[in-house]
Amino acid sequence: MDETLLMIPGPTRVAQRVLKAMSENIVNHRSALFGKILSETSEMMSDVFRTNNKSYLLTGSGTAAMEAAIANIIEPGDKVLNVVGGKFGQRFSQIVEAFGGESIRIDVEWGKAVNPDEIGYALEENDDIKAVTVVHNETSTGVANPIKEIGKIMSDYDALYVVDTVSSLGGDEVDVDGYGIDICVTGSQKCLAAPPGMAAITLSDDAWSAVEGVSNSRTYYLNLKKYRKSGDAEPPETPYTPAVSLIYAMHEPLKVIMEEGLNNRIKRHKLAAEATRNAIKALGLELFPDESVSSTTVTAVRLPEGVTDGELRGTMRNKYHVELAGGQDHLKGKIFRIGHMGNITHRELITTISGLEMTLRELGFEVEMGEAVAAVADTYLPENL
Ligand SMILES: *Cc1c(COP(=O)(O)O)cnc(C)c1O
């Protein structure tokens, strides 16, 4: 069993009780027994999404839910406005094109958040935009987009509001009904701290009307009408054989989230993000995004001058057994990322930051040993909470 500490933005380490749940025997997926697990899981999913609408579990990673969100609401030629400020924003745009839609992009510099007004301007200019996609937490850059403020602007328009909360749900504030989100998608292996391989989606009444209005949907496996029909059956089912063990492994971590309390969990993530930023500043390193827009679940840091990504992450991995993430696309070799999502507490952060101090010192970077670790500890001191 590999004991490397995963400090990456997914997959995240899962609790022992989740591994145990996953090892339960397989049951008939069209039985009352499984139906109960499935309906409890989707109800807890809706609670985490903060919606009164039903949630559906899809076998596949987060991208499957992104694809389902687009494939079910557009027909060839339909216009979708995609906010693109990183890898995942780009993915939504590519999915739109893959299904024959026209992707209109708002390109945001990587490392910056979108200005919600830009979305309003774009919708004024094109009154036939069917949907707007926003990535809440742009994992590739460590930026959190203002989905609440965007929701206020979206309420003036008919376009559907589609939000990717794959790396924020269960770690940062997401309120699907409160923000007026029409379609919200997430994945299992990030803040929910479940194993990879499951995705979830929830749709508003307006979104369902759009789904019903699509006469020649190009997707078969991810046809959401089928998921709704099976999900509403008694006992509830999925249209095709689900990853039964992974449903167990979603049910259990969602119970963990309910026990911790969603608000407590979000607070814990905020504290981990703050501690990480304090440590980075104490090390004299530079945060990649501006602090005002920086993510609650992953912190992106500029690689210091004279230190390569391979050296830094290689030493962290091989010597200190902490796995960090690198940059993607043009940020490769320019930034590294510390994931602090899922079950992360001060314990993992202190290990990570002390490893980072030792690594940087070893690579010739001037470090006052213990200062960054103290910055983490200080953040968690009761008098500073
Ligand atoms: C991880 C992630 C996804 C989905 O990636 P998968 O590898 O398909 O699970 C989508 N959006 C964001 C913001 C992510 O962080």
Side-chain angles (χ1 to χ4, degrees):
M1 174 71 194
D2 185 43
E3 291 297 337
T4 302
L5 179 57
L6 286 185
M7 297 299 286
I8 57 175
T12 55
R13 276 295 278 278
V14 309
Q16 203 64 37
R17 60 186 270 199
V18 173
L19 292 175
K20 208 164 153 230
M22 195 164 45
S23 68
E24 287 294 322
N25 215 339
I26 304 302
V27 296
N28 179 1
H29 64 293
R30 309 212 183 278
S31 64
L33 186 60
F34 187 72
K36 182 167 179 285
I37 296 168
L38 187 63
S39 62
E40 283 176 6
T41 308
S42 61
E43 277 163 26
M44 288 188 285
M45 260 328 306
S46 289
D47 289 345
V48 177
F49 275 127
R50 292 196 163 121
T51 179
N52 290 319
N53 294 312
K54 270 197 169 180
S55 299
Y56 298 87
L57 293 153
L58 309 174
T59 299
S61 71
T63 307
M66 294 173 77
E67 181 158 333
I70 300 299
N72 283 275
I73 58 167
I74 67 165
E75 297 188 57
D78 283 346
K79 286 184 188 170
V80 177
L81 181 67
N82 301 116
V83 175
V84 180
K87 193 91 190 153
F88 295 101
Q90 215 170 46
R91 186 168 298 177
F92 256 143
S93 162
Q94 288 164 351
I95 293 171
V96 168
E97 285 172 352
F99 284 90
E102 185 185 333
S103 166
I104 300 170
R105 291 167 58 136
I106 295 180
D107 280 296
V108 182
E109 190 186 327
W110 288 32
K112 300 263 190 306
V114 68
N115 174 353
D117 291 337
E118 297 270 332
I119 293 169
Y121 302 147
L123 288 168
E124 287 296 334
E125 250 173 55
N126 300 273
D127 58 5
D128 52 350
I129 286 176
K130 197 158 184 188
V132 176
T133 70
V134 179
V135 175
H136 179 204
N137 190 75
E138 188 39 90
T139 321
S140 60
T141 62
V143 166
N145 279 302
I147 55 169
K148 183 179 181 182
E149 290 70 23
I150 297 169
K152 282 187 199 139
I153 289 185
M154 291 297 301
S155 68
D156 292 335
Y157 301 91
D158 288 335
L160 296 174
Y161 185 22
V162 180
V163 182
D164 166 343
T165 61
V166 177
S167 63
S168 58
L169 193 81
D172 196 3
E173 311 278 358
V174 176
D175 183 349
V176 167
D177 288 355
Y179 302 168
I181 296 171
D182 290 298
I183 305 184
C184 196
V185 300
T186 202
S188 54
Q189 80 277 24
K190 311 251 167 122
C191 306
L192 301 179
M198 290 299 295
I201 189 166
T202 185
L203 292 86
S204 69
D205 290 343
D206 286 348
W208 279 118
S209 302
V211 171
E212 277 150 17
V214 170
S215 49
N216 62 340
S217 162
R218 288 182 174 188
T219 181
Y220 186 92
Y221 190 76
L222 294 172
N223 185 333
L224 292 174
K225 285 183 219 167
K226 295 206 176 115
Y227 284 82
R228 180 170 62 173
K229 186 156 177 273
S230 306
D232 288 349
E234 218 24 85
E237 297 178 1
T238 51
Y240 319 110
T241 314
V244 171
S245 309
L246 289 179
I247 302 269
Y248 301 158
M250 281 293 269
H251 185 264
E252 194 64 21
L254 286 165
K255 263 172 50 189
V256 172
I257 293 174
M258 295 305 153
E259 286 167 21
E260 181 177 12
L262 191 51
N263 288 330
N264 292 337
R265 191 178 179 86
I266 293 167
K267 264 191 219 146
R268 177 167 59 73
H269 279 80
K270 285 185 174 167
L271 202 56
E274 193 190 329
T276 306
R277 290 194 300 267
N278 289 344
I280 293 306
K281 287 186 278 184
L283 280 166
L285 300 185
E286 201 185 332
L287 295 163
F288 178 60
D290 192 82
E291 257 194 283
S292 61
V293 297
S294 70
S295 161
T296 300
T297 63
V298 57
T299 298
V301 184
R302 280 187 202 277
L303 270 165
E305 201 75 41
V307 174
T308 69
D309 179 54
E311 288 168 337
L312 183 122
R313 290 196 300 124
T315 309
M316 284 295 282
R317 177 189 308 119
N318 299 324
K319 203 154 179 189
Y320 301 110
H321 309 290
V322 179
E323 187 77 23
L324 300 179
Q328 292 171 294
D329 288 0
H330 67 269
L331 295 178
K332 203 172 268 176
K334 301 231 161 54
I335 64 167
F336 68 95
R337 294 172 299 150
I338 304 173
H340 32 77
M341 54 181 74
N343 297 321
I344 301 302
T345 65
H346 50 83
R347 193 169 65 156
E348 290 78 16
L349 281 176
I350 286 192
T351 305
T352 303
I353 298 302
S354 82
L356 196 54
E357 285 184 339
M358 292 186 276
T359 297
L360 287 168
R361 169 72 79 94
E362 197 172 311
L363 296 175
F365 194 77
E366 227 169 278
V367 179
E368 200 58 57
M369 298 306 291
E371 274 192 359
V373 171
V376 173
D378 274 345
T379 315
Y380 282 94
L381 280 180
E383 68 247 38
N384 295 335
L385 292 184

